């Protein structure tokens, strides 16, 4: 089992920055462990935003956030971050962190989500 709790979402103006946090606990020692961020805008499907692999530190981003968002981790605090810069109104969504613990790379554990609203 893995427990995830997001925080940091709020209203921000376009062009601004925000850092989301995801505190994790539980079974994170798997060599397959990957932490991801997803988002879901009103009326749209949930989409992948970024991921970080525990084993090799590799990161991946969806094209629309490359160069603006950065995923990172702080082992001492058991927290994964999503630093979001140059925010745009299209970034408005509920952001979720999720964990994948097995070789199939499916995300089996999800947080409750945190709302990010970017005003124009």
């Amino acid at each position: 089992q893995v427990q995830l709790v997001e925080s940091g979402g709020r209203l921000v103006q376009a062009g601004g920055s925000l850092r989301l946090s995801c505190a994790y606990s539980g079974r994170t020692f798997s060599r397959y462990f990957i932490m991801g961020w997803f988002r879901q805008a009103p009326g749209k499907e949930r989409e992948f935003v970024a991921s970080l692999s525990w084993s090799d530190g590799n990161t991946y981003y969806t094209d629309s956030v490359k160069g603006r968002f950065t995923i990172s981790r702080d082992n001492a605090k058991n927290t994964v971050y999503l630093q979001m810069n140059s925010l745009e109104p299209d970034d408005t969504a509920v952001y979720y962190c999720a964990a994948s613990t097995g070789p199939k790379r499916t995300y089996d554990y999800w947080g409750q989500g945190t709302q990010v609203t970017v005003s124009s």
Side-chain angles (χ1 to χ4, degrees):
Q1 293 288 334
V2 177
Q3 294 77 41
L4 305 170
V5 179
E6 304 99 331
S7 62
R10 61 176 176 86
L11 174 65
V12 63
Q13 287 189 333
S17 297
L18 200 58
R19 188 178 76 167
L20 304 183
S21 300
C22 176
Y24 58 84
S25 61
R27 196 172 181 272
T28 63
F29 51 82
S30 167
R31 65 187 176 115
Y32 302 110
F33 193 83
I34 299 173
M35 188 73 82
W37 283 97
F38 292 75
R39 65 186 180 186
Q40 187 167 19
K44 295 186 178 180
E45 294 187 353
R46 187 157 52 189
E47 66 169 346
F48 168 81
V49 176
S51 67
L52 171 61
S53 173
W54 253 225
S55 61
D56 55 18
N58 282 344
T59 57
Y60 299 93
Y61 299 90
T62 192
D63 286 345
S64 63
V65 308
K66 285 180 180 177
R68 299 190 298 124
F69 290 11
T70 303
I71 187 171
S72 63
R73 62 187 282 199
D74 184 331
N75 292 340
K77 296 182 177 180
N78 284 1
T79 300
V80 170
Y81 300 103
L82 184 67
Q83 177 67 43
M84 305 186 294
N85 299 328
S86 302
L87 283 162
E88 305 167 353
D90 283 348
D91 295 319
T92 295
V94 177
Y95 283 72
Y96 300 88
C97 64
S100 172
T101 62
K104 294 184 179 180
R105 300 186 177 225
T106 56
Y107 288 89
D108 302 313
Y109 301 96
W110 294 82
Q112 81 287 353
T114 186
Q115 176 70 49
V116 173
T117 303
V118 183
S119 64
S120 57

